Amino acid sequence: NALLLAHDLEVIEHRRVVLNPFRFRRSQAHKLGLPFAERLRWASERRVCQVLRVRRAAGTLVVANLHATGDRLYKGIPDAELLRAAVFVDGFANPDEPVLLCGDFNLTVRNSRTLAELMTPEWGFSGATPNSAS
C-alpha cells in the first residue's frame, strides 16, 4: 500500500498499525465463530493501515489508507479490521483535525455494521456509498 500526495503537501508524521495481528485475529475469530480453515486463511496475509499527518495551506489533515481482508463469506473479518483502523486513526488525529480514511475496505454499507457506525455523529465520517462490488 502507498499514499501518493501532491507536491504542495508536506508529511509531518507517519504511523501504521497492523490490522490482523495474532491476538486480534484470535479474539475476533472466536467472536465471529470462524472455522479453523478460515482462521488460517486470514493469517496468510498481513494487513496494515498507514496514517499520515499532512501539512497544507489550510492547516493539517490526517490521511489514512488500508486494504482490508477480502472475504466473500465472512464480512465480519474486514469489518473488524476497518473498526480497528478507525479507532487507531481517531486516536492519532488531533481534535477538530480533518480525517480522510480511505482504501479498499472490501465492504459496502449493505454488509458492514462498521461503515454505518462510522457515519454516525459520534464518529463523524461521511462518504460511504451502497454501490460497491464487494
Side-chain angles (χ1 to χ4, degrees), residues 51-130:
V51 184
L52 304 176
R53 178 166 287 111
V54 176
R55 183 173 293 130
R56 59 193 173 122
T60 60
L61 167 73
V62 170
V63 180
N65 181 52
L66 67 112
H67 183 181
T69 298
D71 195 298
R72 291 182 185 167
L73 296 177
Y74 299 97
K75 289 298 182 184
I77 292 173
D79 219 33
E81 290 175 349
L82 176 58
L83 182 57
R84 181 173 169 85
V87 168
F88 182 75
V89 171
D90 186 58
F92 178 83
N94 293 321
D96 298 322
E97 191 170 37
V99 174
L100 177 61
L101 177 59
C102 53
D104 184 352
F105 301 161
N106 283 303
L107 296 165
T108 69
V109 293
R110 289 188 200 109
N111 62 21
S112 170
R113 285 185 277 177
T114 300
L115 281 173
E117 185 179 326
L118 292 177
M119 292 187 298
T120 63
E122 181 180 350
W123 280 93
F125 285 97
S126 63
T129 59

Side-chain angles (χ1 to χ4, degrees), residues 10-63:
E10 176 190 1
V11 176
I12 55 177
E13 192 171 358
H14 173 257
R15 297 217 184 129
R16 67 179 178 266
V17 63
V18 176
L19 297 177
N20 61 344
F22 173 74
R23 287 184 180 184
F24 180 76
R25 287 192 327 269
R26 182 177 59 191
S27 166
Q28 292 300 308
H30 177 71
K31 181 178 173 182
L32 297 169
L34 297 179
F36 183 71
E38 189 64 28
R39 294 174 190 215
L40 288 177
R41 196 191 70 67
W42 190 12
S44 68
E45 190 169 342
R46 185 173 179 236
R47 298 296 175 161
V48 176
C49 176
Q50 299 179 77
V51 184
L52 304 176
R53 178 166 287 111
V54 176
R55 183 173 293 130
R56 59 193 173 122
T60 60
L61 167 73
V62 170
V63 180

